[in-house]
C-alpha cells in the first residue's frame, strides 16, 4: 500500500474534523445542510405536520390538487407518447390515450370489467384468456391496474397476445403506496419492485424488448403516503431518484416483430 503524502494526510484529517464539526452543528444550522453531512440526533426529530397517525389526505392527494404518483406516471407517458398511436386500448377510460396520443390515435378502445360508462368498448377480465381480441392493438396503456389483478402473469400474457407485432404495452404499478380506502381496496393485491415487474414482463416478452423505470425517493414516498399533492412540493425534489424508495415502477414492453 502506498503511503499518503504529508499534504494528503493533512487534507484527510481536515475533512474528518470538518465532518465532525458539521455533525455537531445546532439544528437551525444543520437543517440547512445536506443530509449527507448532518442528521438530527436521536430524539430530536421535528415531526411537524407529519406527527399525526392519520395522513394529511386519505385520498392520495386528489382532494389537494393531484397525487404525487400521477406526476411520475404522466412524466413516464410523456416520454413514451410517440408509442401511443394507431389502435390504442386503455383501462377504465381513455383520458391518457387522448391526452398523450392525440392525433396519432386512429381508434381508442376502453376496457372495463363492467359497462361502467358510455366510453367502454370492451367488457371483460384481462386475467381470463380470450378477453381481448388477438393482435389488435398498437399500444395498450395500463396505468395503476395490474396490482388489482391477483393473477398478474395471466393478465400480462393476455395483454401481450392482444398487441400487434411491434406494439407496445405501457404499464405502471405502485411501489410504496397507501392502499385505496374505497372499492379498489378490496382487490388491491400487490405492490411491486423494479425487479418484480421486470421478471413478470420477461415471462411474456423478450428481455431486450423491456424497458423498466422506477421513480421516487424518501421525500417523495413520505409526501405521497401523507397524501400531499404534487403541486405542494418542489418538483426538483420529486425528480431525485433513489431506487430504495420506489413510489412508481413503470415499463414499456414491445411485442417482437414476427
Amino acid at each position: 500500500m502506498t503511503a499518503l503524502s504529508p499534504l494528503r494526510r493533512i487534507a484527510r484529517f481536515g475533512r474528518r474534523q470538518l465532518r465532525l464539526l458539521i455533525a455537531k452543528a445546532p439544528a437551525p444550522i444543520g437543517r440547512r445542510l445536506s443530509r449527507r453531512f448532518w442528521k438530527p440526533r436521536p430524539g430530536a426529530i421535528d415531526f411537524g405536520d407529519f406527527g399525526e397517525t392519520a395522513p394529511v389526505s386519505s385520498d392520495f392527494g386528489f382532494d389537494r390538487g393531484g397525487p404525487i404518483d400521477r406526476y411520475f406516471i404522466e412524466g413516464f407517458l410523456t416520454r413514451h407518447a410517440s408509442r401511443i398511436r394507431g389502435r390504442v386500448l386503455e383501462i377504465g377510460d381513455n383520458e391518457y390515450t387522448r391526452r398523450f396520443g392525440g392525433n396519432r390515435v386512429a381508434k381508442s378502445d376502453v376496457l372495463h370489467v363492467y359497462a361502467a360508462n358510455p366510453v367502454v368498448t370492451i367488457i371483460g377480465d384481462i386475467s381470463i384468456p380470450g378477453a381481448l381480441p388477438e393482435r389488435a392493438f398498437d399500444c395498450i396503456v395500463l396505468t395503476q391496474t395490474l396490482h388489482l389483478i391477483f393473477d398478474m402473469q395471466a393478465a400480462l400474457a393476455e395483454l401481450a397476445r392482444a398487441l400487434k407485432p411491434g406494439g407496445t404495452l405501457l404499464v405502471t404499478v405502485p411501489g410504496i403506496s397507501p392502499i385505496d380506502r374505497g372499492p379498489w381496496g378490496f382487490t388491491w393485491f400487490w405492490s411491486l419492485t423494479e425487479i418484480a415487474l421486470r421478471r413478470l414482463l420477461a415471462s411474456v416478452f423478450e428481455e431486450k424488448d423491456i424497458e423498466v423505470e422506477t421513480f421516487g425517493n424518501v421525500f417523495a414516498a413520505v409526501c405521497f403516503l401523507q397524501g400531499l399533492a404534487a403541486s405542494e412540493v418542489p418538483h426538483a425534489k420529486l425528480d431525485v431518484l433513489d431506487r430504495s424508495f420506489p413510489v412508481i415502477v413503470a415499463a414499456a414492453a414491445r411485442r417482437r416483430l414476427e
Side-chain angles (χ1 to χ4, degrees):
M1 181 181 293
T2 304
L4 293 176
S5 68
L7 287 177
R8 291 186 64 185
R9 285 200 299 270
I10 292 170
R12 190 162 73 171
F13 176 78
R15 288 194 297 269
R16 185 184 302 119
Q17 293 302 113
L18 181 60
R19 284 197 296 268
L20 291 173
L21 182 65
I22 290 173
K24 294 178 180 179
I29 296 173
R31 293 187 194 283
R32 296 174 179 271
L33 304 174
S34 167
R35 186 58 58 87
R36 177 184 172 190
F37 301 108
W38 184 89
K39 295 178 176 60
R41 70 181 185 279
I45 299 292
D46 181 2
F47 288 97
D49 291 329
F50 290 175
E52 302 297 323
T53 57
V56 174
S57 166
S58 298
D59 192 27
F60 297 94
F62 278 109
D63 55 334
R64 299 178 67 83
I68 286 170
D69 66 340
R70 295 289 157 174
Y71 173 78
F72 296 131
I73 292 164
E74 291 166 12
F76 167 74
L77 292 177
T78 297
R79 288 192 295 280
H80 293 277
S82 63
R83 302 186 183 204
I84 305 175
R85 57 177 179 78
R87 187 179 180 185
V88 180
L89 175 68
E90 192 171 344
I91 313 300
D93 59 44
N94 63 353
E95 177 188 350
Y96 284 154
T97 300
R98 292 183 288 105
R99 179 171 166 187
F100 295 100
N103 58 16
R104 292 186 302 275
V105 177
K107 183 178 181 182
S108 173
D109 281 290
V110 176
L111 171 81
H112 203 286
V113 288
Y114 308 110
N117 60 57
V119 301
V120 173
T121 60
I122 302 173
I123 302 169
D125 179 344
I126 57 174
S127 65
I128 298 174
L132 298 174
E134 188 173 2
R135 298 188 176 201
F137 303 103
D138 297 286
C139 182
I140 298 174
V141 179
L142 189 79
T143 56
Q144 304 306 92
T145 301
L146 190 63
H147 66 291
L148 303 175
I149 300 167
F150 189 79
D151 193 346
M152 292 185 291
Q153 195 164 23
L156 288 171
E158 180 63 11
L159 292 164
R161 190 185 69 86
L163 284 171
K164 295 178 183 178
T168 301
L169 170 67
L170 298 176
V171 56
T172 71
V173 294
I176 299 171
S177 173
I179 294 174
D180 184 64
R181 294 174 185 262
W184 294 119
F186 295 98
T187 59
W188 192 299
F189 294 111
W190 312 106
S191 285
L192 299 178
T193 62
E194 182 178 357
I195 58 174
L197 182 58
R198 183 181 296 278
R199 185 164 177 175
L200 279 167
L201 289 168
S203 68
V204 291
F205 293 93
E206 298 285 339
E207 285 268 13
K208 61 183 177 60
D209 296 325
I210 301 168
E211 305 166 44
V212 183
E213 301 178 57
T214 185
F215 305 90
N217 55 64
V218 68
F219 173 82
V222 169
C223 291
F224 181 48
L225 290 173
Q226 283 286 347
L228 298 191
S231 58
E232 295 183 90
V233 299
H235 289 184
K237 284 192 173 184
L238 296 181
D239 292 338
V240 175
L241 174 61
D242 183 342
R243 285 187 166 83
S244 294
F245 297 91
V247 174
I248 286 292
V249 183
R254 178 175 172 269
R255 180 170 177 173
R256 64 183 175 87
L257 294 169
E258 298 172 357

